[in-house]
Amino acid sequence: MTRIPLLLFLTAAVLTQGCDRRQTPSLNLFAWSEYVPQEVIEGFTKETGVKVNYETYDSNEAMITKLSQGSTRYDLIQPSEYAVENLIRRNMLEPLGESQIPNTKNLDEAYRNPSYDPGLKYSRPYMAGTVGIVVNSDIVKDPIRGFADVFQPKYRGRIVAVNDDREIVSWAFDVLKIPINDVTPANLQKARPLIKSWLSLVKVFDSDNPRAPLLSGDCDIGVVYSGDAAKLYEQNHKFRYILPEEGAHQFVDSLCIPRGAAHKEAAEQFINYILRPEVSKIISDKFPYTNPNAEARKLSSKEQLDNPASYPRAGHVEVFHDIGPATQQISAMMTELRSG
Ligand code: N2P
């Protein structure tokens, strides 16, 4: 008599457990490498019970390619401004629910109505920054003001640069005074010899951790993301950050939900979570980019706000726009130059 209810109970327990396991809410996050601190992910999971699967990429183009293939379903992605623009144009993003993300109010006015996404219909800024030059001023004594000063034969084998085709092409365009968003076959042809000569000067291409060769002394000059430069400066003030005089790409890395995401609610919850001042502070403490969150910035120390890489005082900054199919022209040319 007692055996049957026990068996039923056990069967029910096993079934429910199996069911529970299948139903553990999850969030598939596809974001830049290193960029989302483990502490933030754990904090979110602890509070909401939502498990975060964090997959990484090291360029907007790589992310868009993978997203367009559609084989993996992501709930949350982290495109930079021009990639947001591209994805909006191609109808690949979900509009964000305003009432689900009340912490938007914490954003600085300057980030509330960007040209790449008017009214923040599809995106929320995560961190902003620039691509600039870092020099080890103990070693490099000659003045470095811009890209033309960096890419000189005398620095051959001493340079580290982010491994990003669109960025590299824009540096050459800047030096040649070609507008950086005017990516045409003719302009690429003009920039080609210059880029070819630069590639042979660079010792390390690395977008994930360009700090390493500068810290180890393998390289003395870098063209890197401002967050990496700021981290180097925190470690040692000999690492100076310079906004290239020819022009520096100013980016806004954002959070967006791909069209048709299975866990839209959890994704909006995550966006709202990172917009809390104390959570956003954890991110910019770890990766000292320009924090677009005004309330989080209030929690930063004077030292953090004085870091010239995180909050550059002045400089000639430029934004990238969606260039559509010209992206493929860049990548074809760069692949060819790298292999030859
Ligand atoms: C952090 C990601 C940098 C993002 N490694 C540059 N847009």
Side-chain angles (χ1 to χ4, degrees):
M1 274 300 271
T2 53
R3 230 176 258 161
I4 292 165
L6 181 68
L7 198 68
L8 274 177
F9 171 78
L10 284 176
T11 318
V14 166
L15 280 176
T16 341
Q17 214 195 23
C19 221
D20 270 357
R21 211 179 298 138
R22 275 197 300 274
Q23 278 177 357
T24 298
S26 63
L27 177 71
N28 296 318
L29 167 68
F30 194 28
W32 287 86
S33 41
E34 276 202 333
Y35 215 1
V36 186
Q38 196 50 33
E39 192 185 339
V40 168
I41 290 178
E42 279 165 16
F44 177 74
T45 303
K46 200 164 159 214
E47 192 172 302
T48 60
V50 176
K51 182 175 173 285
V52 179
N53 307 310
Y54 179 9
E55 200 184 308
T56 63
Y57 54 82
D58 70 352
S59 73
N60 284 295
E61 291 68 26
M63 180 272 290
I64 291 178
T65 303
K66 190 121 193 250
L67 191 69
S68 307
Q69 283 163 354
S71 48
T72 319
R73 300 302 297 265
Y74 299 108
D75 301 308
L76 195 56
I77 51 171
Q78 197 180 38
S80 306
E81 72 299 337
Y82 69 97
V84 175
E85 201 172 65
N86 174 283
L87 294 168
I88 293 175
R89 177 175 61 79
R90 294 163 63 206
N91 197 22
M92 286 175 73
L93 298 178
E94 288 282 339
L96 301 179
E98 238 173 86
S99 55
Q100 279 82 343
I101 314 175
N103 288 334
T104 303
K105 66 175 189 303
N106 297 327
L107 287 170
D108 189 287
E109 243 351 281
Y111 296 89
R112 296 277 186 91
N113 194 23
S115 63
Y116 57 84
D117 178 18
L120 292 179
K121 230 178 130 198
Y122 298 94
S123 69
R124 290 294 183 276
Y126 179 81
M127 284 292 146
T130 48
V131 179
I133 300 163
V134 62
V135 295
N136 178 342
S137 61
D138 278 357
I139 311 276
V140 178
K141 297 295 181 191
D142 290 345
I144 302 286
R145 289 157 304 229
F147 297 119
D149 296 328
V150 171
F151 296 105
Q152 299 188 71
K154 66 177 171 184
Y155 298 126
R156 180 185 302 277
R158 312 301 308 159
I159 304 169
V160 52
V162 293
N163 193 17
D164 189 300
D165 293 348
R166 173 102 194 247
E167 295 289 352
I168 297 167
V169 164
S170 78
W171 310 337
F173 275 31
D174 271 331
V175 168
L176 298 169
K177 299 196 171 12
I178 300 169
I180 53 169
N181 289 297
D182 205 357
V183 184
T184 60
N187 285 338
L188 286 172
Q189 274 313 312
K190 281 187 211 155
R192 194 192 167 91
L194 188 61
I195 297 174
K196 190 175 159 76
S197 72
W198 286 2
L199 292 184
S200 68
L201 302 175
V202 175
K203 178 161 192 190
V204 182
F205 282 104
D206 187 350
S207 302
D208 295 328
N209 184 6
R211 302 179 304 276
L214 289 153
L215 285 169
S216 69
D218 275 351
C219 294
D220 316 307
I221 308 189
V223 185
V224 303
Y225 302 125
S226 54
D228 287 305
K231 235 171 140 70
L232 288 163
Y233 182 79
E234 279 178 354
Q235 262 162 294
N236 194 324
H237 283 16
K238 73 180 178 187
F239 293 111
R240 301 244 167 90
Y241 189 61
I242 298 138
L243 280 185
E245 62 180 357
E246 300 96 342
H249 172 205
Q250 183 170 46
F251 55 80
V252 183
D253 298 325
S254 305
L255 290 173
C256 298
I257 304 179
R259 174 82 61 191
H263 309 106
K264 184 174 183 209
E265 212 177 297
E268 284 173 335
Q269 240 180 323
F270 188 88
I271 296 175
N272 197 46
Y273 182 78
I274 69 103
L275 287 173
R276 280 186 199 166
E278 63 280 12
V279 175
S280 181
K281 180 183 187 294
I282 298 175
I283 301 167
S284 58
D285 279 354
K286 190 130 198 194
F287 303 108
Y289 285 89
T290 311
N291 197 325
N293 190 312
E295 295 305 311
R297 237 190 255 183
K298 286 184 191 157
L299 306 175
S300 308
S301 67
K302 179 171 171 354
E303 221 179 335
Q304 287 175 313
L305 297 173
D306 283 346
N307 190 319
S310 311
Y311 297 95
R313 295 273 171 266
H316 169 199
V317 293
E318 308 171 301
V319 291
F320 279 7
H321 288 296
D322 170 27
I323 51 168
T327 305
Q328 276 77 55
Q329 293 158 18
I330 289 182
S331 109
M333 182 185 81
M334 292 300 289
T335 308
E336 201 195 314
L337 287 178
R338 284 176 199 276
S339 66

